[in-house]
């Protein structure tokens, strides 16, 4: 590094000297006030004793031609003005040829003291925008701050739109059966319907006197099969009674016990079943058969139905089971009824029967045989 620094200093001195002497070519180019180096001494030796400058003339300051005598070079004289900072070597009278001294850079001097800091320069123009740097890594999450004080209640917001209907919840367990309520008053008795037509009865002959019993004879041989006898069957049609009805929709008793009504009629022989009231009105006394079939389709609710005769409980149907949602139950009974009796079905409060166009829930009854005792 030292030899590189020295080389730079030497090059700077050469450039400085050349710049100072190129401005005024009439001024001889002479070195500074130091003695010539080895190269200058060789040149002096080649000159004749007559042409060698004496010590008195060598240090003499000779005015430079074409230069104002009052203007002398100083240490502050800038380079390039034609002045050098050492006295020139004048020519002799016998040898007018100018003495050209070839300057040789001396060793670099010690660095001078640091100058005072100059005034700040004007701000330079703004440089172009640099390329965007790569995004930095995400910093670590800071620790949670302390909980703030509870704010005051805000104003009530507007009512939101209804949400989407959720899925049905799990059916709850069925409650226990409540106590049986008090028997309600009996309703008004309906009007009696018209009697059917009576068929013609045959003539019965007079009965003869009963004779004495004879001795028992031996069994005789079987006789030939007789011809079919004649019968007036119109009399039996008078005593035919039968009905069968169904529901095509579900029914729930949501406001107390209710009489089950029916909206589909399979048959109503004799017309004793009233579709509008759901009651069977007895017009012919006798022995009747009744059957009930109910259906459920829910784990949350179940059917509880009873058959009433003139308002009194006779039989019931219940289908309870929280783990069974599709089920059917039934019950049947044979009753001796008199003319004017009424039979119907009652659905308990809060209970439900299910039906559809498949007619799952039905009620049927018919006369087995009349009784005129």
């Amino acid at each position: 590094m030292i030899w590189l620094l020295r080389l730079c200093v030497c090059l700077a001195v050469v450039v400085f000297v050349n710049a100072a002497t190129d401005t005024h070519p009439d001024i001889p180019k002479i070195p500074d006030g130091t003695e010539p180096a080895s190269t200058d001494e060789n040149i002096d030796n080649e000159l004749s004793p007559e042409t060698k400058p004496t010590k008195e003339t060598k240090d003499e300051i000779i005015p430079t031609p074409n230069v104002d005598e009052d203007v002398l070079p100083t240490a502050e004289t800038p380079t390039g003005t034609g002045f050098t900072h050492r006295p020139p070597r004048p020519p002799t009278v016998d040898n007018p040829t100018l003495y050209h001294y070839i300057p040789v850079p001396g060793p670099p001097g010690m660095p001078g003291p640091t100058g005072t800091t100059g005034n700040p320069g004007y701000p330079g123009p703004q440089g172009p925008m640099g390329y965007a740097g790569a995004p930095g890594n995400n910093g670590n999450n800071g620790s949670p701050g302390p909980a703030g004080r509870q704010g005051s209640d805000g104003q009530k917001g507007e009512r939101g739109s209804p949400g989407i209907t959720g899925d049905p919840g799990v059916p709850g367990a069925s409650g226990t059966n409540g106590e049986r309520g008090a028997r309600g008053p009996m309703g008004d008795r309906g009007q009696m319907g018209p009697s059917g037509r009576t068929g013609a009865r045959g003539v019965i002959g007079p009965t003869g006197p009963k004779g004495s019993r004879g001795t028992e004879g031996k069994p005789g041989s079987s006789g030939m099969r007789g011809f079919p006898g004649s019968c007036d069957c119109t009399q039996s049609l008078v005593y035919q009674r039968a009905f069968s009805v169904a529901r095509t929709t579900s029914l729930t008793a949501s406001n107390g016990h209710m009489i089950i009504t029916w909206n589909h009629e399979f048959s109503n022989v004799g017309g004793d079943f009233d579709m509008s009231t759901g009651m069977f009105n007895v017009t012919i006394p006798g022995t009747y058969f009744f059957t009930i079939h109910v259906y459920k389709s829910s784990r949350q609710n179940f059917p509880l139905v009873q058959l009433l005769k003139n308002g009194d409980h006779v039989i019931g149907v219940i289908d309870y089971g929280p783990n069974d949602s599709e089920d059917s139950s039934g019950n049947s009974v044979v009753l001796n009824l008199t003319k004017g009796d009424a039979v119907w079905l009652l659905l308990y409060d809060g209970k439900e029967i299910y039906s559809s166009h498949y007619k799952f829930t039905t009620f049927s009854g018919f006369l087995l045989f009349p009784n005129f005792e």
Side-chain angles (χ1 to χ4, degrees):
M1 289 297 294
I2 297 176
W3 65 267
L4 182 61
L5 179 61
R6 292 179 177 179
L7 180 60
C8 293
V9 172
C10 293
L11 293 176
V13 171
V14 173
V15 172
F16 176 80
V17 172
N18 292 335
T21 56
D22 287 344
T23 307
H24 299 280
D26 296 335
I27 301 175
K29 300 177 181 179
I30 57 179
D32 207 349
T34 59
E35 289 296 326
S38 58
T39 306
D40 297 331
E41 293 176 356
N42 295 333
I43 296 172
D44 292 339
N45 293 332
E46 293 177 0
L47 298 176
S48 61
E50 293 79 14
T51 60
K52 285 185 180 181
T54 62
K55 183 173 180 59
E56 291 76 17
T57 61
K58 181 165 56 173
D59 295 331
E60 222 172 336
I61 299 176
I62 305 298
T64 305
N66 302 324
V67 179
D68 191 355
E69 292 181 358
D70 296 333
V71 181
L72 296 177
T74 64
E76 288 79 11
T77 303
T79 59
T81 58
F83 290 104
T84 60
H85 298 286
R86 62 180 67 187
R89 296 176 185 267
T92 60
V93 177
D94 299 331
N95 188 6
T97 304
L98 293 178
Y99 174 76
H100 296 280
Y101 179 75
I102 301 175
V104 177
M110 296 297 293
T114 304
T116 58
T117 304
N119 295 327
Y122 292 103
Q126 182 176 356
M129 180 180 293
Y131 294 105
N137 299 327
N138 294 331
N140 297 328
N141 295 331
S143 58
R149 293 180 300 175
Q150 183 175 359
S152 58
D153 295 337
Q155 297 181 355
K156 185 176 180 180
E158 298 179 357
R159 183 175 182 179
S161 57
I164 301 174
T165 303
D167 297 332
V170 179
S174 301
T176 57
N177 296 333
E179 297 180 358
R180 183 176 179 180
R183 182 177 176 180
M186 186 175 179
D188 297 335
R189 188 170 183 176
Q191 298 179 357
M192 184 175 178
S195 302
R197 294 180 301 171
T198 304
R201 189 170 184 178
V203 179
I204 301 175
T207 303
K210 184 176 181 181
S212 59
R213 184 174 182 179
T215 59
E216 183 176 354
K218 295 181 180 180
S221 59
S222 298
M224 297 178 63
R225 186 175 182 179
F227 296 99
S230 60
C231 176
D232 186 4
C233 297
T234 57
Q235 184 69 23
S236 63
L237 295 176
V238 178
Y239 306 110
Q240 292 181 355
R241 292 291 184 272
F243 74 93
S244 183
V245 293
R247 282 199 62 87
T248 58
T249 58
S250 300
L251 182 65
T252 302
S254 57
N255 192 19
H257 304 332
M258 64 182 304
I259 298 175
I260 300 175
T261 57
W262 309 88
N263 45 27
H264 181 79
E265 180 183 285
F266 294 106
S267 61
N268 191 9
V269 179
D272 287 353
F273 189 84
D274 190 346
M275 291 288 291
S276 61
T277 61
M279 294 185 177
F280 177 75
N281 300 298
V282 180
T283 59
I284 297 178
T287 303
Y288 288 80
F289 174 81
F290 297 95
T291 182
I292 310 167
H293 289 281
V294 295
Y295 188 82
K296 77 166 186 175
S297 181
S298 172
R299 292 188 178 93
Q300 299 177 349
N301 209 341
F302 58 92
L304 177 57
V305 178
Q306 63 174 339
L307 184 145
L308 302 180
K309 171 189 171 183
N310 299 330
D312 294 330
H313 172 78
V314 180
I315 60 173
V317 178
I318 187 172
D319 193 342
Y320 171 76
N323 297 325
D324 187 8
S325 62
E326 303 289 337
D327 203 359
S328 180
S329 299
N331 204 350
S332 301
V333 67
V334 176
L335 297 177
N336 291 321
L337 302 176
T338 60
K339 187 176 181 179
D341 289 340
V343 178
W344 66 88
L345 299 183
L346 187 71
L347 179 62
Y348 269 57
D349 182 25
K351 305 307 177 183
E352 177 187 28
I353 56 175
Y354 175 80
S355 193
S356 67
H357 64 282
Y358 290 109
K359 306 174 184 66
F360 295 113
T361 300
T362 61
F363 179 36
S364 302
F366 54 87
L367 174 66
L368 292 175
F369 45 85
N371 185 8
F372 291 104
E373 292 182 356

